[in-house]
Amino acid sequence: MYSSRYNPKSIFVKTHKPVSAEQILTVILIAIIVFIAAGTLYAFAVKKTSLGHQYRKADPSPKQVIQTSIKTNSRVNAFNELGQIRTITKSPDDEHTGTLVIVSPWFSYDAGNTILLEELSQKSQQEKAIIINYFGQNTKRELLEKGEDTVKEEIKELLNDQLILGKIQNIFFKEYIFFE
C-alpha cells in the first residue's frame, strides 16, 4: 500500500539534536542585548528627559536681570553683597551629620529704592543668619523635595519679614550646591 520510501509514521517522530552550551549562551546574549536596546529606546522615546536634566539650570546674572528689567520698564537693581555662604543642613538622623550646602544668593529690588539698599547692606549679617538657619532647619531630602523655586520663595519671605524700608522682589542663587 505505501512505498518503502514514504512512512506516514515518520512525520510524527522528532529527532533531537543535543543543544550545546555555546548555543544557549548565544540565545541569552541576544536576549540581553534586545532587553538593553528596548530599555534604552523606552528611556529616550517615552520619558521626557534630556541629557543633564538632573543638573540645576543657572540663574541669570545680576547684569542680565537689570538689562531685562530696563526692557520691560520694571527697573530693578541687584544686591549681591552676601557672597558665598557655607552651611550644613539638618541631620536626617542621630547617626549622621547634615549635608554641606554652598549657596551664593543675590536679590533684586526696586531700582528707585535707595533706602532699601542701605537697609540690606546694614543687615547683611542678619540676612546671612536667616539663610543659614533656614538650611539648618531642613534636611537635604526636604530641600530637594521642595525644589529650588520653593526654597527661594521661602527664604525671600523670611528676609522680607525683617525688612522695614522695602521688599526684595526676587532671590537668585549664583551657586546652589550640596556636598556629600
Short mmCIF file of all heavy atoms in Angstrom, two decimals, residues 13-59:
data_model
loop_
_atom_site.label_atom_id
_atom_site.label_comp_id
_atom_site.label_asym_id
_atom_site.label_seq_id
_atom_site.Cartn_x
_atom_site.Cartn_y
_atom_site.Cartn_z
N VAL A 13 7.63 11.54 14.19
CA VAL A 13 8.78 11.22 15.02
C VAL A 13 9.76 12.37 14.93
O VAL A 13 10.15 12.79 13.84
CB VAL A 13 9.45 9.90 14.52
CG1 VAL A 13 10.69 9.62 15.33
CG2 VAL A 13 8.46 8.76 14.58
N LYS A 14 10.14 12.91 16.09
CA LYS A 14 11.07 14.02 16.13
C LYS A 14 12.45 13.50 16.48
O LYS A 14 12.60 12.65 17.35
CB LYS A 14 10.66 15.04 17.19
CG LYS A 14 9.39 15.76 16.85
CD LYS A 14 9.09 16.80 17.87
CE LYS A 14 7.81 17.54 17.50
NZ LYS A 14 7.47 18.56 18.47
N THR A 15 13.36 14.05 15.80
CA THR A 15 14.73 13.69 16.13
C THR A 15 15.34 14.87 16.86
O THR A 15 15.23 16.02 16.42
CB THR A 15 15.54 13.39 14.85
OG1 THR A 15 15.51 14.53 14.03
CG2 THR A 15 14.99 12.19 14.13
N HIS A 16 15.93 14.67 17.99
CA HIS A 16 16.51 15.72 18.82
C HIS A 16 18.02 15.73 18.67
O HIS A 16 18.67 14.71 18.84
CB HIS A 16 16.16 15.49 20.29
CG HIS A 16 14.70 15.62 20.58
ND1 HIS A 16 14.08 16.83 20.65
CD2 HIS A 16 13.74 14.69 20.79
CE1 HIS A 16 12.80 16.63 20.92
NE2 HIS A 16 12.57 15.34 21.00
N LYS A 17 18.50 16.94 18.37
CA LYS A 17 19.94 17.13 18.39
C LYS A 17 20.28 17.73 19.75
O LYS A 17 19.56 18.60 20.23
CB LYS A 17 20.38 18.09 17.29
CG LYS A 17 20.24 17.53 15.91
CD LYS A 17 20.78 18.55 14.92
CE LYS A 17 20.64 18.03 13.50
NZ LYS A 17 21.11 19.01 12.52
N PRO A 18 21.33 17.36 20.35
CA PRO A 18 21.70 17.97 21.64
C PRO A 18 22.05 19.45 21.44
O PRO A 18 22.66 19.83 20.45
CB PRO A 18 22.92 17.17 22.08
CG PRO A 18 23.43 16.48 20.86
CD PRO A 18 22.28 16.33 19.92
N VAL A 19 21.60 20.30 22.39
CA VAL A 19 21.85 21.74 22.34
C VAL A 19 23.16 21.99 23.08
O VAL A 19 23.34 21.57 24.22
CB VAL A 19 20.70 22.52 23.01
CG1 VAL A 19 20.98 24.01 23.00
CG2 VAL A 19 19.39 22.22 22.31
N SER A 20 24.04 22.71 22.44
CA SER A 20 25.34 22.95 23.05
C SER A 20 25.27 24.16 23.98
O SER A 20 24.39 25.01 23.88
CB SER A 20 26.40 23.17 21.97
OG SER A 20 26.18 24.41 21.34
N ALA A 21 26.23 24.26 24.89
CA ALA A 21 26.32 25.39 25.81
C ALA A 21 26.54 26.68 25.04
O ALA A 21 26.05 27.74 25.42
CB ALA A 21 27.45 25.16 26.80
N GLU A 22 27.25 26.60 23.94
CA GLU A 22 27.50 27.77 23.11
C GLU A 22 26.21 28.34 22.53
O GLU A 22 26.00 29.55 22.49
CB GLU A 22 28.47 27.40 21.98
CG GLU A 22 28.93 28.59 21.16
CD GLU A 22 29.94 28.19 20.11
OE1 GLU A 22 30.98 27.62 20.47
OE2 GLU A 22 29.66 28.47 18.92
N GLN A 23 25.30 27.47 22.12
CA GLN A 23 24.03 27.91 21.58
C GLN A 23 23.17 28.56 22.67
O GLN A 23 22.51 29.57 22.43
CB GLN A 23 23.28 26.73 20.95
CG GLN A 23 23.92 26.22 19.67
CD GLN A 23 23.26 24.94 19.19
OE1 GLN A 23 22.86 24.09 19.99
NE2 GLN A 23 23.18 24.79 17.86
N ILE A 24 23.19 27.99 23.86
CA ILE A 24 22.42 28.56 24.98
C ILE A 24 22.96 29.94 25.34
O ILE A 24 22.19 30.90 25.51
CB ILE A 24 22.48 27.62 26.21
CG1 ILE A 24 21.72 26.32 25.90
CG2 ILE A 24 21.89 28.29 27.44
CD1 ILE A 24 21.87 25.27 26.96
N LEU A 25 24.25 30.08 25.42
CA LEU A 25 24.86 31.37 25.74
C LEU A 25 24.58 32.41 24.66
O LEU A 25 24.37 33.58 24.95
CB LEU A 25 26.36 31.21 25.96
CG LEU A 25 26.77 30.45 27.23
CD1 LEU A 25 28.27 30.26 27.26
CD2 LEU A 25 26.29 31.16 28.47
N THR A 26 24.56 31.97 23.42
CA THR A 26 24.26 32.89 22.32
C THR A 26 22.84 33.41 22.44
O THR A 26 22.58 34.61 22.26
CB THR A 26 24.46 32.17 20.96
OG1 THR A 26 25.80 31.70 20.88
CG2 THR A 26 24.19 33.11 19.80
N VAL A 27 21.89 32.56 22.75
CA VAL A 27 20.49 32.96 22.91
C VAL A 27 20.35 33.93 24.10
O VAL A 27 19.66 34.95 24.01
CB VAL A 27 19.58 31.72 23.08
CG1 VAL A 27 18.18 32.13 23.51
CG2 VAL A 27 19.53 30.92 21.80
N ILE A 28 21.04 33.63 25.20
CA ILE A 28 20.98 34.51 26.38
C ILE A 28 21.59 35.87 26.05
O ILE A 28 21.03 36.91 26.40
CB ILE A 28 21.70 33.85 27.58
CG1 ILE A 28 20.89 32.64 28.07
CG2 ILE A 28 21.89 34.84 28.72
CD1 ILE A 28 21.59 31.80 29.11
N LEU A 29 22.71 35.89 25.36
CA LEU A 29 23.35 37.14 24.97
C LEU A 29 22.45 37.99 24.07
O LEU A 29 22.31 39.19 24.26
CB LEU A 29 24.69 36.86 24.26
CG LEU A 29 25.48 38.08 23.82
CD1 LEU A 29 25.90 38.91 25.03
CD2 LEU A 29 26.68 37.66 23.01
N ILE A 30 21.80 37.35 23.12
CA ILE A 30 20.88 38.06 22.22
C ILE A 30 19.71 38.64 23.02
O ILE A 30 19.29 39.77 22.80
CB ILE A 30 20.39 37.13 21.08
CG1 ILE A 30 21.56 36.86 20.12
CG2 ILE A 30 19.22 37.75 20.34
CD1 ILE A 30 21.28 35.79 19.09
N ALA A 31 19.20 37.86 23.98
CA ALA A 31 18.09 38.34 24.82
C ALA A 31 18.51 39.56 25.64
O ALA A 31 17.75 40.54 25.77
CB ALA A 31 17.59 37.23 25.73
N ILE A 32 19.71 39.53 26.19
CA ILE A 32 20.20 40.66 26.98
C ILE A 32 20.35 41.90 26.10
O ILE A 32 19.96 43.00 26.49
CB ILE A 32 21.54 40.30 27.67
CG1 ILE A 32 21.28 39.27 28.77
CG2 ILE A 32 22.22 41.54 28.24
CD1 ILE A 32 22.54 38.69 29.38
N ILE A 33 20.91 41.73 24.93
CA ILE A 33 21.09 42.87 24.01
C ILE A 33 19.74 43.47 23.61
O ILE A 33 19.58 44.68 23.58
CB ILE A 33 21.91 42.43 22.77
CG1 ILE A 33 23.37 42.15 23.18
CG2 ILE A 33 21.86 43.49 21.67
CD1 ILE A 33 24.21 41.52 22.09
N VAL A 34 18.77 42.62 23.33
CA VAL A 34 17.43 43.10 22.97
C VAL A 34 16.82 43.85 24.15
O VAL A 34 16.21 44.92 23.99
CB VAL A 34 16.54 41.93 22.51
CG1 VAL A 34 15.08 42.35 22.42
CG2 VAL A 34 17.02 41.40 21.16
N PHE A 35 16.99 43.32 25.37
CA PHE A 35 16.44 43.96 26.57
C PHE A 35 17.06 45.34 26.79
O PHE A 35 16.36 46.31 27.05
CB PHE A 35 16.68 43.06 27.79
CG PHE A 35 16.15 43.63 29.07
CD1 PHE A 35 14.80 43.64 29.34
CD2 PHE A 35 17.02 44.18 30.00
CE1 PHE A 35 14.31 44.17 30.51
CE2 PHE A 35 16.55 44.72 31.18
CZ PHE A 35 15.19 44.71 31.43
N ILE A 36 18.38 45.44 26.67
CA ILE A 36 19.06 46.72 26.85
C ILE A 36 18.64 47.72 25.77
O ILE A 36 18.38 48.89 26.05
CB ILE A 36 20.60 46.52 26.85
CG1 ILE A 36 21.02 45.78 28.12
CG2 ILE A 36 21.33 47.86 26.73
CD1 ILE A 36 22.47 45.36 28.14
N ALA A 37 18.56 47.26 24.53
CA ALA A 37 18.15 48.15 23.44
C ALA A 37 16.72 48.64 23.65
O ALA A 37 16.43 49.83 23.46
CB ALA A 37 18.28 47.43 22.10
N ALA A 38 15.83 47.75 24.06
CA ALA A 38 14.44 48.15 24.30
C ALA A 38 14.36 49.14 25.45
O ALA A 38 13.62 50.13 25.38
CB ALA A 38 13.58 46.92 24.59
N GLY A 39 15.11 48.91 26.53
CA GLY A 39 15.12 49.84 27.66
C GLY A 39 15.64 51.20 27.29
O GLY A 39 15.11 52.23 27.71
N THR A 40 16.67 51.23 26.48
CA THR A 40 17.24 52.50 26.02
C THR A 40 16.26 53.25 25.14
O THR A 40 16.06 54.46 25.30
CB THR A 40 18.56 52.24 25.25
OG1 THR A 40 19.47 51.54 26.10
CG2 THR A 40 19.18 53.55 24.80
N LEU A 41 15.63 52.56 24.22
CA LEU A 41 14.63 53.20 23.36
C LEU A 41 13.47 53.74 24.18
O LEU A 41 12.98 54.85 23.94
CB LEU A 41 14.13 52.22 22.31
CG LEU A 41 15.13 51.88 21.19
CD1 LEU A 41 14.56 50.78 20.30
CD2 LEU A 41 15.46 53.11 20.38
N TYR A 42 13.04 52.97 25.17
CA TYR A 42 11.96 53.42 26.04
C TYR A 42 12.37 54.69 26.79
O TYR A 42 11.60 55.65 26.87
CB TYR A 42 11.59 52.32 27.04
CG TYR A 42 10.57 52.76 28.05
CD1 TYR A 42 9.22 52.84 27.72
CD2 TYR A 42 10.95 53.12 29.34
CE1 TYR A 42 8.29 53.26 28.65
CE2 TYR A 42 10.03 53.54 30.27
CZ TYR A 42 8.70 53.61 29.92
OH TYR A 42 7.77 54.02 30.83
N ALA A 43 13.58 54.69 27.34
CA ALA A 43 14.04 55.84 28.11
C ALA A 43 14.09 57.11 27.28
O ALA A 43 13.73 58.18 27.74
CB ALA A 43 15.41 55.55 28.71
N PHE A 44 14.53 57.01 26.04
CA PHE A 44 14.64 58.20 25.20
C PHE A 44 13.34 58.56 24.49
O PHE A 44 13.07 59.73 24.24
CB PHE A 44 15.75 58.04 24.17
CG PHE A 44 17.12 58.19 24.77
CD1 PHE A 44 17.99 57.12 24.82
CD2 PHE A 44 17.53 59.40 25.29
CE1 PHE A 44 19.24 57.25 25.37
CE2 PHE A 44 18.79 59.55 25.84
CZ PHE A 44 19.64 58.47 25.89
N ALA A 45 12.53 57.57 24.15
CA ALA A 45 11.33 57.84 23.37
C ALA A 45 10.14 58.20 24.25
O ALA A 45 9.40 59.13 23.94
CB ALA A 45 10.99 56.63 22.51
N VAL A 46 9.94 57.48 25.33
CA VAL A 46 8.73 57.67 26.13
C VAL A 46 8.93 58.71 27.22
O VAL A 46 8.10 59.59 27.39
CB VAL A 46 8.29 56.32 26.74
CG1 VAL A 46 7.10 56.49 27.65
CG2 VAL A 46 7.97 55.32 25.62
N LYS A 47 10.00 58.61 27.96
CA LYS A 47 10.23 59.55 29.04
C LYS A 47 10.72 60.87 28.46
O LYS A 47 11.50 60.89 27.53
CB LYS A 47 11.27 59.02 30.02
CG LYS A 47 10.76 57.85 30.82
CD LYS A 47 11.77 57.47 31.86
CE LYS A 47 11.24 56.33 32.70
NZ LYS A 47 12.18 55.98 33.76
N LYS A 48 10.24 61.96 29.05
CA LYS A 48 10.63 63.27 28.56
C LYS A 48 11.85 63.76 29.35
O LYS A 48 11.77 64.69 30.14
CB LYS A 48 9.48 64.24 28.70
CG LYS A 48 8.32 63.88 27.81
CD LYS A 48 7.19 64.85 27.94
CE LYS A 48 6.06 64.43 27.03
NZ LYS A 48 4.92 65.28 27.13
N THR A 49 12.96 63.10 29.15
CA THR A 49 14.19 63.50 29.81
C THR A 49 15.21 63.91 28.76
O THR A 49 15.11 63.53 27.61
CB THR A 49 14.78 62.34 30.63
OG1 THR A 49 15.04 61.23 29.77
CG2 THR A 49 13.85 61.93 31.74
N SER A 50 16.13 64.67 29.22
CA SER A 50 17.21 65.07 28.33
C SER A 50 18.52 64.90 29.08
O SER A 50 18.53 64.77 30.30
CB SER A 50 17.04 66.51 27.89
OG SER A 50 17.06 67.35 29.03
N LEU A 51 19.60 64.92 28.36
CA LEU A 51 20.88 64.81 29.00
C LEU A 51 21.06 65.99 29.93
O LEU A 51 20.79 67.13 29.58
CB LEU A 51 22.00 64.78 27.96
CG LEU A 51 22.00 63.57 27.03
CD1 LEU A 51 23.09 63.71 25.98
CD2 LEU A 51 22.21 62.29 27.82
N GLY A 52 21.52 65.71 31.12
CA GLY A 52 21.77 66.76 32.08
C GLY A 52 20.54 67.26 32.80
O GLY A 52 20.58 68.30 33.46
N HIS A 53 19.41 66.55 32.73
CA HIS A 53 18.19 67.04 33.36
C HIS A 53 18.30 67.12 34.87
O HIS A 53 17.59 67.87 35.51
CB HIS A 53 16.99 66.16 32.96
CG HIS A 53 16.97 64.83 33.64
ND1 HIS A 53 17.74 63.79 33.21
CD2 HIS A 53 16.31 64.40 34.73
CE1 HIS A 53 17.55 62.75 34.01
NE2 HIS A 53 16.70 63.10 34.93
N GLN A 54 19.22 66.34 35.47
CA GLN A 54 19.36 66.35 36.91
C GLN A 54 20.19 67.54 37.39
O GLN A 54 20.27 67.80 38.57
CB GLN A 54 19.97 65.04 37.42
CG GLN A 54 21.44 64.85 37.09
CD GLN A 54 21.68 64.24 35.71
OE1 GLN A 54 20.83 64.26 34.84
NE2 GLN A 54 22.86 63.70 35.51
N TYR A 55 20.81 68.26 36.47
CA TYR A 55 21.62 69.40 36.84
C TYR A 55 20.77 70.65 36.95
O TYR A 55 19.78 70.82 36.25
CB TYR A 55 22.75 69.63 35.82
CG TYR A 55 23.74 68.50 35.81
CD1 TYR A 55 23.87 67.68 34.70
CD2 TYR A 55 24.55 68.24 36.91
CE1 TYR A 55 24.77 66.63 34.69
CE2 TYR A 55 25.45 67.20 36.90
CZ TYR A 55 25.56 66.41 35.79
OH TYR A 55 26.45 65.38 35.79
N ARG A 56 21.19 71.53 37.81
CA ARG A 56 20.50 72.77 38.06
C ARG A 56 20.71 73.73 36.89
O ARG A 56 21.79 73.86 36.37
CB ARG A 56 21.09 73.34 39.34
CG ARG A 56 20.70 74.71 39.65
CD ARG A 56 21.38 75.16 40.96
NE ARG A 56 20.88 76.45 41.26
CZ ARG A 56 21.46 77.57 40.85
NH1 ARG A 56 22.56 77.54 40.18
NH2 ARG A 56 20.91 78.73 41.12
N LYS A 57 19.65 74.39 36.51
CA LYS A 57 19.74 75.42 35.48
C LYS A 57 20.19 76.71 36.16
O LYS A 57 19.60 77.14 37.15
CB LYS A 57 18.38 75.63 34.81
CG LYS A 57 18.41 76.64 33.70
CD LYS A 57 17.06 76.79 33.05
CE LYS A 57 17.13 77.85 31.98
NZ LYS A 57 16.15 78.89 32.14
N ALA A 58 21.23 77.31 35.65
CA ALA A 58 21.80 78.51 36.26
C ALA A 58 20.82 79.68 36.23
O ALA A 58 20.11 79.88 35.25
CB ALA A 58 23.10 78.90 35.55
N ASP A 59 20.80 80.42 37.33
CA ASP A 59 20.01 81.65 37.38
C ASP A 59 20.69 82.71 36.54
O ASP A 59 21.90 82.67 36.33
CB ASP A 59 19.90 82.13 38.83
CG ASP A 59 18.91 81.31 39.64
OD1 ASP A 59 18.09 80.59 39.06
OD2 ASP A 59 18.94 81.41 40.89
#
